[in-house]
Amino acid sequence: MASSLPFGAVEFAANPEPRCPCVLVLDVSASMAGTRLQELQRGLQQFRDELGGDPLARKRVELAIITFGGACRLACDFTAVEHFEPPRLQADGLTPMGGAVQMALDLVRARKQVYRDNGVAYYRPWIFLLTDGEPNDDWHPACVSIRETEASRQAAFFAVGVGEANLDVLRQISIRQPLQLRGLMFREMFQWLSNSLKSVSHSGVADEVPLHNPAGPEGWAKV
Amino acid sequence: MRLHDGRTWLRLTDEIGRGGEGTVLAVEGDADRVAKVYASAPDAERCEKLRCMVALLQQAPGLGAHCAWPERLLTDDNGQLRGFLMRRLHDQHPVHALYSPEERKRTYPKATWETLARAAAGCARMFAALHSHGVLVGDVNERNVLVAGDGSLQLVDCDSFQITFEGRTYLTGVGVVDYTPPELQGADFRSVVRTENHDLFGLAVLVFKLVFMGRHPFSGGATGDMAAAIAACHYDYPDVAQRLKHLLPLAAVPGSLRAMFEYAFGDPEETGERPAAQVWAAELDDMAMALQPCATDSMHRVPQSLSRCPWCLIEATLHYAYFLREDGDRYVSTWSPRAEELHQLRLAMARTDGPPEPSSLVAPDEVDRALQMARRVANLGPPAHLDSWHVRVVGTLAVLGATAQWSLGHGHLTAALAVAGAALWAMGGAWAWWARRPWIERLDAMTHLHHAVLAGADAWQAEAHQRRMRDRQLIDTFDVLCDRHEAIVRHRLGQWDRLSADAIDESTRPQLGAIGVEEAELPAAIGTDRRRTLLVRGLATAADIERHRLVGLPGLTGQVIDALVQWRQGLETQLGGRRRPQPKPDQFAAIDQNCTVMQTEIEDQLAAVIAERHAAANAARDALDAIYAAYADNTEMLAREGERLWLALRR
């Protein structure tokens, strides 16, 4: 039998730590242009810096970014935090949120296959959706997929609305209570996300980690 | 912070580390000790446990040899226990920095497989020493074991050990799934009484990871769920290593160790007690002793159980070197992207406060009252002056009377009366003007003050806005400099590339430029997606396939890049190109040195921007405070004067 190397063999030889994949699904539709996008960009940079400062999280957490604005785009495929460079975001077009969520689910599924092929354990993937509008495509199939994925505990889905986001739609997509960002507290949001990912990546694979409630009086979100 | 250690008051200064339960602080005047201080006062159980640990150390001083054991307790002014004093460990890294291959190559570049085997043996000896005193590690994990530069190991987080003292057992209370034996998977760690046998599972996992290049013995199989795999005793590394030929085969370790792993990771009901720590130590020492350097690479260590060097085989299949080469002629780069320095600068920038936001102007307390008073007083206007009004009425009546008499024919009298009436009327007017003048002046002054208050707020915001704009420029400058700093990595690669043997032979460039990436037969690793990645980045022909242009593109791992460069080199050979001679080591060293100079220059500039931002923010605060002081004074005056006028006018 001819043995061929699985995709990513070198990467997992160099760093065989269990992986904690996290996909950021970011709205870059035209309404995000200006201060919102600038703050989001700064937040991303800080997110990278915070996670990069943790010696274990930087080897375990892998980030991918999908943007949707006009079209859904894989702005950054899964990359370990130590090699992650936040892409430059540009706002344009409408809000194909359903397609983006579906793309994230597919991406996560494919990545898990890579982990299995390489014999590396993994944590439950996180999908983190951020939007300031409402979908202009058919988002119902994505909704069904999310529910199936959550029910079989194959990924954890979080939704955050910015500004005039349609929280009713988010409530239908997400099993967890969607959160409304207070003002433009992107940095606080990413701080929370990096702290959560750090605690998850310090726990063992499959440990349930209690997360700090972001909707507290000092938090970045309101329900 | 000031705490008492039972002998004297200690001043605790810089924070060295921070964990879930508290912080680790330096002790002023004592370079060999640090204090762990709990974030919230520990409960009675924890206090009792710490007292017992200190007492236990006095009975058995050897306990302190391998770990940061609590030596003395620290209490605050009220006698409440707040933490403890322990030995300070210098220049240590968590054990995962040693067992993760890529990080090990950076952190311990001289480490060989023998180093790793000896570290594993040291780890086992450390467990053996604790077990011989009835102490259990309990929460075994990769962050609690530290490795010093000389390869010696230490345990930290000792207050989580499970200890038994005078017949009472104090529990660990926590655990990490990856190091928890099958019989404890899913158990509530808060009430679990651990045994030596439980600890030995965690030890076996640590040993395994050190010996087998950071791989966990339980990969999690089809679900990636390690907890479930451990609970089911599905020790699958042997299977995974069978499937993936580039992993270190189990046969690389002696049969005795293979059997010990089987026992340690097998079903506890079938295998019974796991191998003891001192047995691990002895076996691993024997294994390390028997290793021989490989003939091809002096950094490779070959076990007697194998006929060929496993590392050479892996390098040939995987194109990845698990160990750095120790080659006298070759320049071994110690260049660093200085990511940590940049990270620290970014943090410092984030911690520097900018000038206040224009929207953050807080109006003085009186401002509402003052503006309200000003409006009310303006509505009232100056008071009427009754006496002068009476005089004018009399004057008017006199003129009217004179007019009536004139119509009746009393001419000479009428003229005099009319003149007197007009004079009275004019005098009344002058008197009114004279009497009301101070009021009008006070009202004018108030209107003036009113405008000054409103203008004060505007001036503050305008100033804040301007300062903020300047601050934005500084942030942008900072970001641009950071980007430049990060771009040096690629710049350096480009320079290396041009120098190195895999640079394009320029004589073949025109022909290479005619071979399009879109239709060429690329290596197998390049699928449609990667081909598209190359094309959209403008890498359209074989002449564009240069290492420095490939690094960092999405989906292109080191292996894929190697394959692409080799493909281009194959074409060059077909076209009659020649390989370039190996460049001299000092040429590479010069590039690295140049890059380091560029980095440090940018870092200096970044530090200057931070200092400038700090100074600008301070200056902004001073300027804004001055504007604010005038604004607050005006407001106070307006409120006071408005109230006085209001009361006077209403009287």
Side-chain angles (χ1 to χ4, degrees):
Chain A
M1 194 179 78
S3 73
S4 63
L5 292 169
F7 177 78
V10 170
E11 193 182 338
F12 293 102
N15 169 19
E17 287 296 314
R19 293 304 206 272
C20 179
C22 172
V23 191
L24 304 176
V25 185
L26 305 177
D27 186 343
V28 293
S29 59
S31 55
M32 285 289 288
T35 322
R36 275 186 195 162
L37 207 67
Q38 277 171 15
E39 285 303 306
L40 177 59
Q41 186 83 53
R42 282 183 206 285
L44 270 182
Q45 188 67 44
Q46 180 201 305
F47 180 52
R48 199 280 304 260
D49 294 347
E50 296 264 347
L51 274 178
D54 185 284
L56 207 50
R58 58 186 286 148
K59 287 192 284 190
R60 294 189 168 178
V61 177
E62 290 192 328
L63 300 172
I65 294 183
I66 289 174
T67 56
F68 58 103
C72 304
R73 207 168 71 83
L74 178 59
C76 172
D77 203 347
F78 277 111
T79 314
V81 169
E82 50 186 336
H83 303 301
F84 174 77
E85 262 311 315
R88 286 254 167 254
L89 303 177
Q90 273 172 350
D92 192 22
L94 293 171
T95 316
M97 192 198 298
V101 168
Q102 197 63 54
M103 192 169 169
L105 289 168
D106 294 343
L107 191 68
V108 161
R109 198 171 307 123
R111 191 61 184 170
K112 290 202 288 194
Q113 188 58 47
V114 172
Y115 297 149
R116 285 195 288 270
D117 290 347
N118 282 284
V120 166
Y122 51 87
Y123 300 80
R124 184 145 57 119
W126 281 29
I127 301 174
F128 202 85
L129 171 72
L130 190 88
T131 179
D132 74 337
E134 58 183 2
N136 71 313
D137 62 352
D138 183 11
W139 48 275
H140 292 96
C143 194
V144 174
S145 308
I146 288 282
R147 267 154 216 280
E148 282 168 4
T149 311
E150 287 269 13
S152 52
R153 300 178 56 75
Q154 293 194 24
F157 185 83
F158 298 83
V160 175
V162 182
E164 317 73 60
N166 185 339
L167 283 202
D168 287 333
V169 170
L170 292 185
R171 256 187 281 278
Q172 291 178 56
I173 294 183
S174 172
I175 303 231
R176 274 173 209 80
Q177 171 80 41
L179 297 168
Q180 167 80 41
L181 190 74
R182 275 186 220 271
L184 291 179
M185 295 178 83
F186 286 111
R187 293 188 206 205
E188 288 75 6
M189 182 190 84
F190 279 118
Q191 173 97 49
W192 174 87
L193 188 58
S194 86
N195 284 343
S196 305
L197 286 171
K198 274 188 224 169
S199 344
V200 168
S201 67
H202 288 179
S203 73
V205 169
D207 270 1
E208 273 295 334
V209 178
L211 299 175
H212 188 263
N213 178 17
E218 302 284 297
W220 50 268
K222 49 194 184 229
V223 175
Chain B
M1 181 182 251
R2 198 178 77 128
L3 292 175
H4 201 265
D5 74 342
R7 301 175 196 178
T8 173
W9 286 102
L10 299 177
R11 276 180 55 79
L12 308 179
T13 51
D14 302 330
E15 182 176 314
I16 296 172
R18 180 179 283 271
E21 319 184 282
T23 47
V24 175
L25 299 165
V27 180
E28 193 174 83
D30 190 345
D32 296 326
R33 270 170 194 72
V34 286
K36 172 163 177 176
V37 179
Y38 295 103
S40 55
D43 59 11
E45 169 86 10
R46 170 67 63 100
C47 292
E48 196 49 41
K49 180 178 185 180
L50 289 172
R51 276 187 207 105
C52 294
M53 288 188 88
V54 172
L56 201 58
L57 182 66
Q58 275 157 8
Q59 288 178 9
L63 279 173
H66 296 291
C67 52
W69 192 277
E71 294 179 4
R72 270 174 271 158
L73 302 181
L74 297 173
T75 50
D76 61 15
D77 293 332
N78 306 323
Q80 167 68 45
L81 204 160
R82 295 297 305 280
F84 58 85
L85 216 54
M86 58 185 179
R87 195 150 50 87
R88 180 170 190 168
L89 308 171
H90 294 278
D91 302 326
Q92 312 239 353
H93 295 277
V95 70
H96 59 79
L98 180 64
Y99 70 57
S100 279
E102 199 54 29
E103 196 168 359
R104 162 174 52 74
K105 279 157 68 178
R106 283 199 302 267
T107 319
Y108 305 95
K110 294 210 163 83
T112 62
W113 196 38
E114 186 182 337
T115 320
L116 293 166
R118 292 208 185 275
C123 192
R125 262 194 298 280
M126 194 164 67
F127 273 64
L130 290 174
H131 289 173
S132 72
H133 289 100
V135 173
L136 299 176
V137 178
D139 181 19
V140 182
N141 69 57
E142 61 280 269
R143 283 176 301 137
N144 288 355
V145 179
L146 302 187
V147 189
D150 62 358
S152 65
L153 282 84
Q154 299 278 342
L155 278 158
V156 288
D157 258 351
C158 301
D159 49 335
S160 72
F161 287 175
Q162 177 178 306
I163 59 156
T164 302
F165 187 72
E166 292 177 345
R168 198 174 156 200
T169 298
Y170 298 88
L171 302 182
T172 294
V174 287
V176 171
V177 164
D178 307 11
Y179 296 86
T180 301
E183 62 271 29
L184 292 187
Q185 287 289 339
D188 183 355
F189 290 127
R190 281 169 299 183
S191 55
V192 161
V193 181
R194 291 210 170 64
T195 64
E196 197 174 309
N197 201 33
H198 296 153
D199 250 18
L200 291 171
F201 179 87
L203 170 63
V205 173
L206 277 176
V207 167
F208 191 92
K209 287 183 134 187
L210 281 162
V211 172
F212 285 96
M213 302 295 108
R215 293 272 170 174
H216 196 282
F218 299 77
S219 80
T223 58
D225 184 347
M226 195 180 276
I230 296 177
C233 306
H234 189 50
Y235 163 46
D236 64 353
Y237 184 83
D239 299 340
V240 176
Q242 271 291 316
R243 178 166 62 86
L244 302 174
K245 298 294 179 202
H246 61 284
L247 298 193
L248 183 64
L250 217 63
V253 301
S256 54
L257 276 172
R258 285 205 293 276
M260 284 166 73
F261 284 127
E262 295 277 348
Y263 272 101
F265 303 137
D267 186 344
E269 290 186 6
E270 288 168 18
T271 53
E273 293 289 298
R274 299 187 173 95
Q278 64 267 35
V279 181
W280 280 114
E283 288 292 333
L284 287 160
D285 275 336
D286 285 353
M287 169 187 147
M289 193 94 82
L291 294 175
Q292 294 293 325
C294 138
T296 319
D297 190 320
S298 58
M299 289 289 276
H300 289 177
R301 291 289 179 280
V302 187
Q304 283 181 326
S305 53
L306 297 178
S307 54
R308 295 177 65 188
C309 171
W311 312 110
C312 288
L313 286 175
I314 290 173
E315 275 185 34
T317 44
L318 189 62
H319 299 294
Y320 176 75
Y322 271 118
F323 300 95
L324 289 176
R325 203 180 281 268
E326 190 185 45
D327 195 335
D329 295 337
R330 225 170 105 166
Y331 166 62
V332 179
S333 175
T334 53
W335 186 83
S336 132
R338 295 179 69 86
E340 186 54 33
E341 284 79 358
L342 189 61
H343 175 65
Q344 289 302 333
L345 283 164
R346 279 209 172 103
L347 281 183
M349 182 69 173
R351 285 198 203 104
T352 310
D353 288 329
E357 287 276 6
S359 60
S360 66
L361 173 64
V362 180
D365 289 340
E366 293 102 341
V367 76
D368 279 343
R369 194 165 61 96
L371 295 178
Q372 201 183 357
M373 290 315 296
R375 273 195 298 275
R376 279 193 195 166
V377 170
N379 285 340
L380 279 179
H385 188 252
L386 271 182
D387 293 346
S388 64
W389 190 72
H390 289 153
V391 172
R392 288 171 91 179
V393 169
V394 172
T396 312
L397 284 175
V399 173
L400 285 175
T403 317
Q405 291 217 352
W406 177 71
S407 60
L408 293 173
H410 305 286
H412 59 284
L413 261 175
T414 21
L417 193 61
V419 168
L424 262 181
W425 188 85
M427 269 171 60
W431 193 15
W433 176 80
W434 179 256
R436 289 177 69 183
R437 203 183 57 157
W439 292 105
I440 292 169
E441 278 174 1
R442 280 177 77 181
L443 276 167
D444 283 351
M446 249 199 58
T447 312
H448 191 70
L449 213 48
H450 187 173
H451 289 157
V453 166
L454 295 178
D458 288 347
W460 195 94
Q461 279 169 331
E463 181 74 22
H465 183 71
Q466 201 189 346
R467 302 270 181 177
R468 200 77 193 168
M469 294 284 281
R470 173 73 192 122
D471 189 54
R472 282 269 163 217
Q473 286 169 359
L474 283 176
I475 293 174
D476 289 344
T477 310
F478 190 86
D479 289 348
V480 169
L481 284 169
C482 285
D483 288 348
R484 289 229 303 261
H485 191 283
E486 283 173 340
I488 292 176
V489 175
R490 191 159 305 166
H491 166 77
R492 172 177 168 272
L493 276 174
Q495 300 265 318
W496 270 63
D497 222 15
R498 248 162 252 140
L499 190 62
S500 71
D502 59 54
I504 292 186
D505 177 349
E506 292 300 326
S507 67
T508 62
R509 195 181 274 279
Q511 289 113 302
L512 288 176
I515 302 174
V517 164
E518 195 170 356
E519 57 282 339
E521 195 173 319
L522 294 177
I526 313 295
T528 325
D529 283 350
R530 286 182 174 147
R531 196 188 292 260
R532 196 178 310 130
T533 303
L534 296 176
L535 290 169
V536 298
R537 301 295 169 125
L539 307 179
T541 71
D544 298 319
I545 304 299
E546 292 179 280
R547 189 175 294 273
H548 65 279
R549 297 174 70 179
L550 299 171
V551 171
L553 296 188
L556 295 199
T557 56
Q559 189 195 344
V560 174
I561 292 172
D562 284 346
L564 276 167
V565 171
Q566 277 167 21
W567 167 75
R568 192 210 67 218
Q569 287 174 336
L571 293 175
E572 280 178 80
T573 320
Q574 286 170 26
L575 295 166
R578 270 182 315 180
R579 295 257 53 78
R580 193 197 278 246
Q582 197 68 34
K584 291 193 182 68
D586 52 351
Q587 289 176 286
F588 288 112
I591 294 176
D592 280 2
Q593 201 187 350
N594 189 15
C595 289
T596 306
V597 168
M598 278 160 53
Q599 286 170 320
T600 45
E601 275 173 11
I602 294 177
E603 283 160 28
D604 290 347
Q605 290 170 16
L606 285 168
V609 173
I610 294 174
E612 189 181 343
R613 181 171 197 225
H614 184 69
N618 281 342
R621 264 187 290 278
D622 289 347
L624 289 168
D625 283 351
I627 298 177
Y628 188 84
Y631 171 49
D633 282 352
N634 285 340
T635 305
E636 201 194 320
M637 267 160 63
L638 181 63
R640 218 183 318 119
E641 181 61 16
E643 194 157 290
R644 246 191 254 145
L645 253 173
W646 165 251
L647 289 173
L649 284 171
R650 287 217 318 180
R651 206 180 292 131

